[in-house]
DNA sequence: TCTGTTGGTT
């Protein structure tokens, strides 16, 4: 663009900022300033809004300096934009300072500082601002309601919702979102049904709520009911499939979105979910296609996308490529570290996993349950029993209660090391119901060590929990065969003669367990 | 001109 005059430049910045083109708005502002043009309060407030949205800390602070230089510091729109900028950055000290210096404050100024306190989680200060406000509009009420929602205080949210003089869709959506965050999907649905005017945001919030509680069918139903579907709706549904271990359906929907009759261009959010689906399928090829597709669309890599790719490469065994991406991250967060630790764990690089964990702790990033799944997997893979046990018991020191999956890994670790009795005792000590994976780990270990005593116990539980999985039968059969024994409740099957004709099959047994019939055979 | 409710990664 040629150097614009003040008027057209200002208009363009306002237009760009109002239409979500924040980077372009800020770039134009910089261009105008560099060409020595006199800046208007309109250009400054729009540029500040842009900096707040793209979290351009340095950009916003340099505009703040220029505000003094140009003598704009008494203009309410500019000051409000500054309060909003610092609030969005989480710098509440400066936001408050600018706010307190304002001679004239409008409702937007009050809403901006209110938002800041709510965002930083300071509910007490937010409440005091809310109470002091000379005038409240629907945005003030909505902000306070969503603040209570995020703090899981739906009683207060509900009380405000009842008191508010006027409500719009955002008020209802804030209530729905609050109930979703509290895991109260039924109550969220009640508000969803009761609201006079539902919009896409209401539907997206419900879909994400159903996704979080694993109710994919209800999410799908809502999605299908929508006539015009936008990018956000597709993203919510694709994410729902990816988050609920249904990667194939995530792909199908992604594909549908690209069809000429729908023709919606995916964005970073879409691709992050699709990459997660690739990772679940172990489809490295599709993942690298996504990388080139990103270049084609001009979508730049961000840390979220890079983390999804790290997970994909690591799970597919390309640890070096994963490390490369990991080192290139702007900011290494818990999820990124966890993806790397899991990747190293799966690939038997226990030392690397431990090193990453220590590095993470040094950076004061605290582990969660998934991080420990990665670490325990690492110890398990290389058979470091004592270290694994220590790691498992250290979870409580980090304020984490091991899940059934963590117990499962420990059972596997102890079991493979031949410590079958300890593994069994660990299962008995579980505070929750062990799932088939836990008993399956013990059964597998019994097969490795040919132990009938615990093998029978484990198999019985596996049969009960997953009667349709045939693998457990053959494991047990192999345990019996290895010691030349058959269970008391096992009797020869009439099919034996037929089966004996099959190659590689010596004998075939059919047994009854709790009114269900099972069969197993012994290979040559 | 400045403010709120929605979708992503382990």
């Amino acid at each position: 663009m040629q150097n614009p005059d003040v008027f057209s430049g200002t208009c363009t910045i306002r237009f760009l900022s109002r239409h979500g083109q924040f980077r372009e708005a800020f770039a134009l502002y910089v261009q105008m300033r560099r060409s020595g043009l006199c800046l208007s309060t309109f250009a400054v407030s729009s540029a500040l809004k842009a900096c707040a949205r793209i979290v351009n800390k340095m950009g916003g602070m340099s505009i703040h300096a220029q505000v003094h230089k140009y003598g704009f510091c008494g203009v309410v729109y500019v000051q409000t934009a500054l309060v909003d900028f610092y609030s969005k950055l989480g710098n509440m000290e400066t936001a408050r300072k600018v706010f307190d210096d304002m001679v004239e404050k409008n409702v937007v100024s009050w809403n901006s500082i209110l938002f800041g306190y709510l965002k930083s989680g300071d509910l007490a200060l937010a409440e005091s601002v809310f109470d002091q406000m000379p005038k409240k509009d629907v945005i003030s009420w909505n902000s306070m309601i969503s603040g209570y929602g995020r703090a899981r205080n739906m009683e207060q949210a509900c009380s405000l919702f009842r008191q508010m003089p006027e409500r719009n869709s955002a008020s209802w959506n804030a209530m729905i979102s609050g109930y979703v965050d509290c895991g109260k999907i039924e109550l969220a649905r009640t508000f969803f049904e009761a609201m006079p005017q539902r919009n896409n945001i209401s539907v997206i919030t419900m879909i994400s709520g159903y996704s979080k509680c694993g109710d994919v069918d209800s999410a799908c139903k809502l999605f299908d009911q929508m006539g015009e579907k936008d990018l956000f709706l597709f993203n919510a549904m694709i994410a729902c499939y990816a988050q609920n271990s249904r990667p194939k359906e995530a792909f199908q929907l992604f594909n549908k979105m690209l069809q000429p009759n729908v023709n919606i261009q995916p964005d970073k959010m879409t691709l992050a979910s699709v990459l997660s689906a690739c990772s679940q399928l172990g489809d490295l090829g599709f993942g690298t296609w996504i990388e080139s597709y990103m270049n084609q669309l001009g979508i730049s890599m961000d840390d979220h996308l890079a983390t999804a790719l790290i997970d994909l490469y690591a799970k597919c065994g390309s640890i070096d490529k994963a490390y490369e991406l990991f080192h290139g991250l702007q900011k290494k967060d818990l999820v990124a570290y966890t993806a790397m630790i899991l990747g190293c764990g799966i690939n038997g690089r226990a030392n690397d996993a431990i090193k990453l964990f220590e590095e993470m702790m040094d950076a004061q990033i605290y582990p969660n349950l998934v991080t420990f799944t990665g670490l325990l997997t690492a110890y398990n893979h290389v058979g470091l029993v004592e270290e694994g046990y220590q790691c498992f018991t250290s979870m409580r020191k980090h304020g984490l209660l091991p899940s059934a999956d963590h117990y499962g890994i420990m059972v596997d670790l102890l079991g493979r090391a031949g410590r079958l009795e300890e593994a069994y005792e660990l299962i008995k000590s579980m505070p929750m119901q062990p799932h088939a994976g836990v008993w399956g780990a013990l059964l597998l270990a019994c097969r490795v060590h040919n132990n009938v005593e615990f093998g029978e116990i484990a198999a019985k539980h596996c049969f009960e929990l997953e009667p349709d999985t045939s693998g457990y039968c053959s494991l047990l059969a192999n345990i019996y065969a290895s010691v030349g024994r058959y269970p008391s409740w096992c009797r020869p099957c009439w099919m034996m003669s037929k089966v004996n004709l099959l190659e590689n099959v010596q004998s075939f047994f059919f047994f009854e367990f709790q009114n269900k019939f099972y069969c197993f055979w012994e290979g040559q």
Side-chain angles (χ1 to χ4, degrees):
Chain A
M1 190 172 174
Q2 289 291 308
N3 276 347
D5 58 63
V6 176
F7 180 71
S8 70
T10 301
C11 286
T12 315
I13 292 177
R14 279 175 60 190
F15 179 87
L16 291 169
S17 183
R18 226 186 283 168
H19 291 82
Q21 313 247 61
F22 301 119
R23 283 175 207 286
E24 293 79 358
F26 180 66
L28 182 55
Y29 171 87
V30 172
Q31 192 189 348
M32 279 179 72
R33 195 174 53 78
R34 284 206 182 127
S35 55
L37 285 175
C38 239
L39 292 167
S40 65
T41 55
F42 291 83
V44 166
S45 50
S46 297
L48 270 170
K49 174 185 173 174
C51 287
R53 294 302 172 100
I54 56 178
V55 199
N56 184 345
K57 192 177 172 186
M58 290 313 291
M61 285 170 76
S62 68
I63 296 176
H64 191 178
Q66 287 145 28
V67 162
H68 286 287
K69 190 175 145 197
Y70 284 97
F72 292 161
C73 38
V75 182
V76 64
Y77 291 109
V78 173
Q79 289 171 305
T80 302
L82 278 169
V83 172
D84 179 57
F85 168 75
Y86 286 112
S87 287
K88 286 216 166 73
L89 248 65
N91 182 349
M92 288 316 291
E93 226 168 275
T94 316
R96 185 78 209 200
K97 202 169 172 302
V98 177
F99 182 79
D100 285 339
D101 284 346
M102 291 174 78
V103 180
E104 181 201 344
K105 297 178 181 84
N106 62 22
V107 68
V108 184
S109 328
W110 282 94
N111 284 344
S112 298
I113 196 89
L114 176 66
F115 172 83
Y117 286 131
L118 288 169
K119 188 177 180 266
S120 61
D122 202 330
L123 210 55
L125 271 171
E127 276 168 346
S128 99
V129 167
F130 187 73
D131 292 338
Q132 283 170 42
M133 287 176 80
K135 185 173 170 280
K136 298 178 183 75
D137 65 4
V138 68
I139 295 183
S140 331
W141 288 88
N142 289 353
S143 301
M144 209 56 215
I145 287 175
S146 44
Y148 279 127
R150 269 193 294 270
R152 312 277 191 267
N153 187 345
M154 286 314 285
E155 246 172 67
Q156 282 289 348
C158 216
S159 151
L160 281 191
F161 184 79
R162 275 196 295 262
Q163 285 173 51
M164 63 195 294
E166 60 155 327
R167 297 181 193 114
N168 59 13
S169 295
S171 325
W172 290 87
N173 289 342
M175 288 299 291
I176 295 173
S177 180
Y179 281 123
V180 161
D181 285 345
C182 295
K184 293 183 173 165
I185 191 76
E186 294 301 328
L187 280 167
R189 183 74 192 212
T190 311
F191 273 76
F192 179 78
E193 295 295 342
M195 70 191 288
Q197 195 89 50
R198 283 185 281 274
N199 57 18
N200 275 10
I201 297 180
S202 331
V203 180
I204 290 162
T205 312
M206 283 307 300
I207 289 178
S208 76
Y210 282 127
S211 176
K212 277 170 200 141
C213 66
D215 188 352
V216 183
D217 290 343
S218 297
C220 193
K221 238 185 199 163
L222 272 182
F223 180 78
D224 287 340
Q225 280 168 11
M226 298 298 288
E228 278 284 301
K229 298 178 179 84
D230 67 2
L231 172 66
F232 275 29
L233 262 168
F234 269 99
N235 283 355
M237 197 59 224
I238 292 173
C240 176
Y241 283 131
Q243 286 160 1
N244 285 281
S245 314
R246 288 163 75 157
K248 283 187 185 152
E249 281 146 297
F251 276 131
Q252 278 165 8
L253 197 56
F254 175 61
N255 201 25
K256 197 171 167 189
M257 156 180 183
L258 302 179
Q259 295 302 306
N261 58 331
V262 183
N263 198 25
I264 294 177
Q265 188 175 307
D267 70 355
K268 289 182 177 181
M269 309 261 181
T270 330
L271 297 183
S273 295
V274 174
L275 279 172
S276 158
C278 290
S279 171
Q280 289 171 45
L281 291 172
D283 193 335
L284 186 60
F286 203 84
T288 43
W289 177 82
I290 297 266
E291 259 193 295
S292 62
Y293 183 63
M294 274 170 60
N295 291 330
Q296 203 181 309
L297 292 181
I299 293 178
S300 60
M301 183 80 71
D302 68 5
D303 282 0
H304 262 291
L305 269 171
T307 305
L309 268 171
I310 287 170
D311 174 57
L312 173 71
Y313 281 120
K315 287 227 172 89
C316 294
S318 306
I319 281 285
D320 292 340
K321 182 84 186 162
Y323 259 115
E324 200 181 296
L325 280 161
F326 181 71
H327 290 311
L329 288 173
Q330 301 258 324
K331 194 168 181 274
K332 298 179 179 73
D333 67 357
L334 171 66
V335 183
Y337 269 109
T338 303
M340 278 307 297
I341 291 171
L342 263 171
C344 289
I346 294 166
N347 287 287
R349 294 171 69 152
N351 286 335
D352 285 358
I354 296 158
K355 221 175 129 200
L356 281 160
F357 182 73
E358 284 167 354
E359 200 182 299
M360 189 182 108
M361 295 298 289
D362 285 343
Q364 296 195 313
I365 299 169
Y366 300 111
N368 65 9
L369 289 173
V370 194
T371 321
F372 276 98
T373 301
L375 269 180
L376 291 175
T377 304
Y379 288 120
N380 193 16
H381 204 284
V382 290
L384 287 170
V385 187
E386 289 313 320
E387 289 84 347
Y389 221 141
Q390 261 177 22
C391 174
F392 179 74
T393 47
S394 78
M395 286 179 72
R396 284 169 208 275
K397 281 182 221 148
H398 290 93
L400 297 167
L401 287 177
S403 75
D405 287 343
H406 297 96
Y407 279 95
I409 302 171
M410 282 313 296
V411 169
D412 199 44
L413 180 56
L414 289 167
R416 278 175 203 269
R419 292 158 70 165
L420 298 170
E421 190 162 359
E422 272 177 86
Y424 179 53
E425 289 302 321
L426 186 66
I427 298 181
K428 284 204 291 187
S429 77
M430 283 172 70
M432 73 288 279
Q433 200 67 29
H435 55 56
V438 179
W439 287 113
L442 181 62
L443 180 58
L444 191 70
C446 291
R447 168 66 190 104
V448 173
H449 297 282
N450 295 322
N451 184 302
V452 176
E453 184 194 354
F454 295 113
E456 276 188 336
I457 299 169
K460 278 184 190 180
H461 284 99
C462 289
F463 295 154
E464 270 176 333
L465 292 164
E466 280 184 5
D468 298 326
T469 306
S470 60
Y472 302 131
C473 293
S474 44
L475 274 173
L476 182 63
N478 281 314
I479 295 171
Y480 283 131
S482 70
V483 293
R485 246 189 71 185
Y486 297 99
S488 54
W489 29 271
C490 165
R491 57 172 181 254
C493 168
W494 60 271
M495 280 171 70
M496 242 176 96
S497 55
K498 284 184 193 171
V499 174
N500 276 338
L501 299 176
L502 291 173
E503 258 185 278
N504 293 330
V505 175
Q506 285 184 337
S507 53
F508 188 91
F509 285 88
F510 200 33
F511 61 86
E512 190 188 343
F513 178 68
Q514 293 192 342
N515 298 327
K516 288 202 177 228
F517 289 93
Y518 302 91
C519 57
F520 63 84
W521 55 90
E522 183 189 346
Q524 226 168 17

